[in-house]
Amino acid sequence: MAPSAGHLRPGRYLAFFALLVVALYALVFFTGDGKPTPKLGIDLQGGTRVTLTARTPDGGQPTRDQLNQARQIIETRVNGIGVGGTNVVLDGNNVVITVPGEQGDQAKNLGRTAKLGFREVITSQPNTPAGPQGQPGTSPSPSAPPATGQPGGGGGAEGAPAQQPPGSAPPSSSAGDGQTPVEQARKVRQNPDLTGSDQAKAQAAQQAALAALTCAPNAADPLEGNDLPNQPLVTCGDKDATKYVLGPEFLPGTEISDANSGYDQQRGQWVVDLTFKGAGGKTWGDFTSSHVGKQAAFVLDTDVVSAPTIQGAILGGNTQITGQFTQGDAKNLADILKYGSLPLSFDSSDATTVSATLGLASLEAGLIAGAVGLIVVFIYCLFYYRLLGILTIWSLAMAELLVYAVLVLLGRWIGYTLDLAGVAGLIIAIGITADSFVIYFERLKDEIREGRTFRSAVPRGWTRARRTILASDAVSFLAAAILYIIAVGDVQGFAFTLGMSTLLDLVVVYLVTHPLVAMVSTARSKFLSNPRNLGLGSVQRMGAQRKAARSAARRTNVKEA
Amino acid sequence: MYVGTGALDIIGVRKRWYLAFALLVLVCLGSMIFRGFHLGIEFEGGTQIQLPARGAQGEITQSQVIGSFQKALGEQPAETQQVGAGASATFQLRSEALDAASVEKVKKQLFTDLAPIGSNGQPSERAISDSAVSASWGGEISRQALIALGVFLVAVVIFLAIYFDTRMAAAALISLLHDILVTAGLYSLVGFEVTPATVIGLLTILGFSLYDTVVVFDKVRENTRGLLGLSRRTYGEAANLALNQTLMRSFNTAFIALLPILGLLIVGSILLGSGTLQDLALVQLIGTLVGVLSSVALATPLLVDFKMRDPKYRQQAERVRARRAKAASRETGGDFDANDDDQLAAELRKEKAYAAAAGVPARTPKARPRPSAKPRPSAKKKR
């Protein structure tokens, strides 16, 4: 930047800025789809957003690999639904699914962990004394609505199968809160003694675990998706109608290569057909051969989906899961199994569907608020700084022009979506941008107060104002950058626009505001160089008075000396 | 004040300011401890359903909405309110956390009963928005926000310590902490709802609060450059002058920052009712006011006190006093008392003589200024 007005050629800076604007807008209109609109978040255009928070069995931090894997699996599940424009991104420990438009409701079920495993049934007992004693897996009583077994968009706290360890947290607290409930539940319900060789001990452990389990509908299970596969498990099943004592997992769900739902004409119910991978098929065949007449349990997220009695050896790598399925249930289960089980359990932290109406209203409110903000700042600047106010308005307009182009381009290049918080950030940034001009103009006033002319005040004032502007913008940018990197959720959109506006503010102050002020100060026009028109009149009178007073003081001192 | 010459003595009465700030902080702390916060749905967990207030059969009433909800689930929503105005008026229903199936049920029932009209002018179930938040979500956001806050404070201290010096960094940090406490305290006192958006907003206030402090401190630093070598004024006086010179600027920056925020708050409330926009705007509004006040009346006084702990600055202040006493005795032959008629007459005669001599050109530019003269930053250094 030129150090003095003598060397500053304002025209060049302005020309450079004009070139920048032309280049940006050329990119806006002639690259990509050429549509000059930024990408809008679902809260501005309507749609569904589901935030899934990862939770690990031990309450520790999930690894990057696990998160990435989970993200990919969820993405495949999304594609399986077949809704266009869906976006799955990682945000800290969260997987955020965004579905624009109106078909997003299904996305609320995508976070199902779907940790499927096969366990041997040691024993089972009905949940309520009045409950039916029928053959488990073939005719369990539907004691709860079908949705109960499907932890959905409502989060891990709702719709989860109904188990409660003794003294566990109330239903409203989710299992993600800490590791204590999980550990507590494991101690009782995954006690190694359950299947131990010591008969008496095993009996006692089973009694304790079964007694601890209430299987009440709509209660959260802290163990959900967090059971240890190599330990026995006591859990509920058949829509909470039966309590099971299960052996360790002998075959993990990852051995499944394909899954399809279908209608079994013979049984008259919906079923899920599974195909195993090579090794899995062999394990399944071996197990079924040696356990004819016994029950095997399909455990999905710690919940027994079905526990059929093995009629004979099932060789060839195919099998069927039956249960009280509706068509939707069966399809959901098949999809989840087909697209892989997640390496982590997820809680639905936030599931939001914004109607297009509300989105439009929000967008309008944001635009109106922005326009109102700009106009009141314009009026204030005109009132307070007169001609300089016009420069401010021009500079602000230029800044907004830049911001808009950059928003469009970022939406295209890095998929940046402008959400409601981002709009708020933009509006608040109007103030920060205008502040830079205030700092500069007040500096000019300082210089004129010292008795300088407007013309000579500009280079001096600029050098000093520049430092302050740089320092204060650095602080603002620092705040925005840290927020952007660390925080989650809406914060990012807000921090992003705030930080971007701060940077663009610097560009505008250097390339537009200062060159324009310099031009005005060196203009030969009487009107332009009259400080009164620049809102500097009283300050200049003041400066002149002071100059006079100073020289008077000087003279008296001289006389005295 | 307009031209920045207003000689408000802020530094001189700083003890009073400290007392006022201490009281404020105590009240805020007390309120936070005993009253707590009104936490939003994101912290408590729950489901919010929102639908347009216009249906196919005309305006929808609150009792209709509640009735419909009850029909679907057998219980009443925990909270129902109508927000926004005109075409964008909506109803917000809040309840304990519902699972996806229950939400679907409520939405179906609301549509069957009330047929809210969507953006395309047709009644549609898609015109109903819903949002289900787990109780841990707000905590998750807040936890990240607190981490961000910690990192920000550390980064800022480092930045300020490099750009200014450690004492300035310390003063700025204390006033920053004050801003956080008081803003949070006001939220607790007034009972505004705390949402994740509020927490975010609180963090960005810090940027602004510091921004303002940086502007003031920059001027303080400029005014005190080479101060130790001079005996014209003490650090406190220089800082007070800087405050007065930047007061109008502080006022202007705050005002200009507040204008769009106010616009956001008002427009947002009228058109949308409660939500992200208002939450952000409200916390910014409070924080900006608190931030400006603290950067003027807390950060700078603290800075002066910190600086005066340094013996160098105390000795310099001593020299200033000594020099003033000497100058005063030389000029008026003792303390000038404006109530003494004789002295006043003598002083007036002197002024007249000065005025008469005003036509004589100065012979030496290195004249000493009178103690009452306003400082000139361009003055040459004197030993």
Side-chain angles (χ1 to χ4, degrees):
Chain A
M1 198 45 51
S4 76
H7 296 141
L8 178 79
R9 291 205 177 78
R12 287 197 184 172
Y13 290 104
L14 292 173
F16 182 69
F17 182 80
L19 204 70
L20 192 69
V21 172
V22 169
L24 277 177
Y25 276 87
L27 284 173
V28 166
F29 285 109
F30 299 116
T31 66
D33 53 7
K35 268 190 223 141
T37 42
K39 261 194 179 165
L40 296 180
I42 60 126
D43 47 4
L44 293 178
Q45 63 163 344
T48 299
R49 183 185 58 222
V50 181
T51 304
L52 302 165
T53 305
R55 88 187 133 92
T56 50
D58 54 0
Q61 200 80 333
T63 67
R64 210 71 212 153
D65 274 354
Q66 286 176 316
L67 284 169
N68 267 319
Q69 208 185 334
R71 192 196 69 80
Q72 274 170 10
I73 292 169
I74 290 176
E75 198 158 39
T76 8
R77 287 183 188 175
V78 170
N79 293 337
I81 299 181
V83 222
T86 309
N87 192 8
V88 183
V89 293
L90 273 183
D91 178 9
N93 281 352
N94 303 307
V95 175
V96 182
I97 309 169
T98 318
V99 188
E102 302 194 327
Q103 287 104 43
D105 283 347
Q106 295 164 71
K108 291 176 184 175
N109 288 321
L110 289 174
R112 281 204 70 166
T113 314
K115 248 195 203 161
L116 185 76
F118 298 82
R119 290 173 183 263
E120 182 189 352
V121 176
I122 311 284
T123 174
S124 66
Q125 75 174 56
N127 182 22
T128 47
Q133 193 96 43
Q135 186 80 325
T138 50
S139 60
S141 122
S143 69
T148 314
Q150 308 276 334
E158 311 89 35
Q163 297 108 324
Q164 271 203 303
S168 79
S172 66
S173 93
S174 121
D177 288 350
Q179 57 190 89
T180 335
V182 177
E183 281 178 344
Q184 258 178 0
R186 266 194 203 147
K187 217 158 139 191
V188 181
R189 290 167 45 198
Q190 293 220 276
N191 190 344
D193 288 343
L194 284 165
T195 55
S197 47
D198 185 338
Q199 283 293 331
K201 240 180 170 179
Q203 284 276 308
Q206 286 178 12
Q207 288 296 330
L210 287 170
L213 209 55
T214 56
C215 287
N218 276 328
D221 181 7
L223 262 190
E224 188 191 322
N226 280 329
D227 56 291
L228 301 172
N230 55 355
Q231 297 294 336
L233 173 71
V234 177
T235 189
C236 305
D238 304 328
K239 322 277 189 205
D240 301 334
T242 315
K243 295 178 186 175
Y244 289 97
V245 179
L246 307 171
E249 187 176 293
F250 64 88
L251 179 61
T254 46
E255 288 295 318
I256 294 167
S257 67
D258 198 11
N260 286 297
S261 62
Y263 189 74
D264 188 329
Q265 298 288 349
Q266 280 180 324
R267 297 175 198 229
Q269 61 180 341
W270 288 92
V271 295
V272 176
D273 291 304
L274 292 181
T275 311
F276 289 108
K277 294 173 188 165
K282 190 177 175 306
T283 313
W284 183 239
D286 290 350
F287 180 83
T288 47
S289 314
S290 59
H291 286 78
V292 177
K294 292 185 177 163
Q295 274 178 276
F298 299 79
V299 184
L300 183 70
D301 295 337
T302 320
D303 190 28
V304 177
V305 178
S306 117
T309 305
I310 298 162
Q311 311 287 351
I314 305 173
L315 305 169
N318 291 311
T319 198
Q320 203 170 56
I321 304 181
T322 56
Q324 288 292 301
F325 297 140
T326 63
Q327 181 178 2
D329 286 347
K331 185 177 181 313
N332 251 339
L333 181 59
D335 278 349
I336 285 167
L337 295 177
K338 180 157 51 183
Y339 297 124
S341 75
L342 298 178
L344 296 160
S345 316
F346 284 90
D347 279 337
S348 168
S349 293
D350 176 28
T352 306
T353 297
V354 178
S355 71
T357 323
L358 184 63
L360 195 68
S362 301
L363 183 61
E364 272 173 5
L367 289 178
I368 294 173
V372 168
L374 268 179
I375 289 169
V376 285
V377 169
F378 283 177
I379 293 173
Y380 183 75
C381 286
L382 268 187
F383 164 77
Y384 194 78
Y385 290 117
R386 322 270 165 97
L387 255 190
L388 284 183
I390 293 178
L391 294 187
T392 312
I393 292 172
W394 178 249
S395 307
L396 265 177
M398 288 298 108
E400 297 306 315
L401 202 67
L402 270 193
V403 166
Y404 190 81
V406 171
L407 279 180
V408 175
L409 290 177
L410 286 181
R412 211 172 283 164
W413 293 339
I414 62 166
Y416 173 77
T417 46
L418 182 67
D419 55 12
L420 203 53
V423 171
L426 283 179
I427 295 171
I428 287 166
I430 295 174
I432 290 183
T433 307
D435 281 351
S436 299
F437 308 143
V438 174
I439 290 177
Y440 182 26
F441 295 157
E442 292 292 325
R443 271 293 182 182
L444 284 181
K445 279 189 183 174
D446 283 353
E447 297 299 328
I448 291 171
R449 201 174 296 134
E450 299 293 336
R452 287 193 183 79
T453 61
F454 180 43
R455 191 175 178 148
S456 65
V458 169
R460 275 185 71 93
W462 169 244
T463 336
R464 293 175 168 197
R466 196 171 59 193
R467 282 195 29 232
T468 311
I469 292 172
L470 275 177
S472 47
D473 271 0
V475 166
S476 287
F477 187 74
L478 196 67
I482 290 173
L483 264 182
Y484 182 73
I485 295 167
I486 294 178
V488 294
D490 288 347
V491 188
Q492 287 200 322
F494 185 68
F496 191 91
T497 48
L498 208 59
M500 187 184 73
S501 298
T502 312
L503 281 187
L504 294 179
D505 164 45
L506 278 183
V507 172
V508 169
V509 169
Y510 269 87
L511 295 184
V512 179
T513 319
H514 176 52
L516 281 178
V517 172
M519 266 172 122
V520 171
S521 76
T522 51
R524 284 175 205 284
S525 149
K526 271 265 160 55
F527 176 75
L528 278 179
S529 52
N530 183 350
R532 197 161 301 128
N533 295 328
L534 295 168
L536 299 169
S538 56
V539 173
Q540 196 175 49
R541 275 197 300 283
M542 171 89 220
Q545 273 168 19
R546 215 184 263 183
K547 211 173 184 177
R550 213 177 288 139
S551 47
R554 211 173 276 153
R555 277 168 212 133
T556 56
N557 281 336
V558 168
K559 208 177 157 195
E560 208 179 75
Chain B
M1 187 164 147
Y2 177 83
V3 287
T5 50
L8 292 173
D9 189 11
I10 294 167
I11 299 296
V13 296
R14 60 181 183 272
K15 293 275 167 349
R16 255 179 261 172
W17 281 110
Y18 290 157
L19 195 68
F21 279 116
L23 272 177
L24 190 62
V25 167
L26 274 182
V27 169
C28 289
L29 273 178
S31 171
M32 276 190 271
I33 292 168
F34 296 112
R35 268 179 65 99
F37 294 99
H38 173 40
L39 293 177
I41 188 174
E42 291 84 353
F43 292 93
E44 311 271 279
T47 299
Q48 176 170 312
I49 294 174
Q50 195 164 358
L51 71 155
R54 237 158 20 104
Q57 298 104 16
E59 292 293 312
I60 298 170
T61 66
Q62 186 151 332
S63 54
Q64 278 179 317
V65 177
I66 295 175
S68 213
F69 186 94
Q70 196 162 12
K71 221 193 291 177
L73 294 184
E75 56 186 90
Q76 291 213 346
E79 198 184 315
T80 313
Q81 63 174 145
Q82 187 174 2
V83 296
S88 54
T90 56
F91 279 106
Q92 286 178 354
L93 301 166
R94 284 191 185 181
S95 68
E96 57 173 41
L98 304 172
D99 58 42
S102 307
V103 169
E104 203 50 40
K105 219 163 138 191
V106 174
K107 282 168 85 168
K108 277 215 170 66
Q109 190 70 45
L110 284 170
F111 173 68
T112 323
D113 293 353
L114 308 169
I117 293 175
S119 54
N120 54 3
Q122 291 301 311
S124 156
E125 196 185 318
R126 302 286 180 198
I128 306 173
S129 304
D130 70 274
S131 140
V133 190
S134 81
S136 56
W137 181 231
E140 160 90 7
I141 292 183
S142 305
R143 197 171 55 87
Q144 292 291 336
L146 280 181
I147 295 174
L149 176 64
V151 174
F152 176 68
L153 288 180
V154 170
V156 151
V157 168
I158 294 172
F159 174 82
L160 290 178
I162 293 172
Y163 187 72
F164 295 119
D165 58 48
T166 42
R167 291 195 166 94
M168 283 184 164
L173 187 66
I174 292 177
S175 76
L176 204 59
L177 291 176
H178 158 269
D179 295 342
I180 302 173
L181 269 178
V182 170
T183 309
L186 283 176
Y187 258 77
S188 163
L189 267 179
V190 183
F192 292 130
E193 189 177 29
V194 177
T195 65
T198 316
V199 179
I200 303 159
L202 188 65
L203 287 186
T204 45
I205 292 169
L206 306 182
F208 184 83
S209 160
L210 214 59
Y211 177 102
D212 209 52
T213 311
V214 165
V215 173
V216 178
F217 278 12
D218 224 35
K219 188 74 185 174
V220 171
R221 180 164 69 165
E222 186 187 307
N223 281 7
T224 56
R225 195 167 292 137
L227 183 87
L228 283 177
L230 296 169
S231 51
R232 186 192 298 154
R233 52 179 183 264
T234 64
Y235 193 90
E237 286 160 353
N240 197 53
L241 181 70
L243 267 187
N244 277 301
Q245 285 170 336
T246 51
L247 202 58
M248 204 53 212
R249 192 156 63 189
S250 292
F251 175 74
N252 261 335
T253 46
F255 195 68
I256 286 192
L258 281 178
L259 285 176
I261 294 173
L262 268 174
L264 191 58
L265 189 63
I266 295 169
V267 172
S269 306
I270 291 176
L271 291 183
L272 290 182
S274 60
T276 312
L277 287 184
Q278 299 70 259
D279 292 343
L280 280 171
L282 184 66
V283 75
Q284 293 269 331
L285 182 77
I286 296 172
T288 305
L289 288 173
V290 174
V292 169
L293 182 68
S294 79
S295 66
V296 170
L298 183 64
T300 316
L302 275 176
L303 174 65
V304 171
D305 272 334
F306 288 158
K307 284 282 185 187
M308 291 317 269
R309 294 176 72 87
D310 188 335
K312 276 190 292 190
Y313 284 94
R314 277 212 298 274
Q315 283 161 15
Q316 191 261 351
E318 213 38 60
R319 285 209 306 280
V320 172
R321 250 192 300 283
R323 193 194 123 82
R324 275 192 198 151
K326 211 168 121 200
S329 62
R330 182 148 32 121
E331 242 175 52
T332 60
D335 281 352
F336 171 65
D337 183 359
N339 290 326
D340 187 323
D341 282 347
D342 282 347
Q343 276 196 28
L344 190 62
E347 193 64 15
L348 286 174
R349 274 200 303 280
K350 218 182 263 173
E351 289 290 340
K352 240 180 241 168
Y354 291 159
V360 183
R363 264 172 301 186
T364 156
K366 278 181 109 183
R368 281 187 305 266
R370 289 192 303 173
S372 63
K374 288 285 172 194
R376 287 172 290 145
S378 58
K380 297 213 172 73
K381 273 191 184 182
K382 275 184 259 176
R383 303 263 145 214

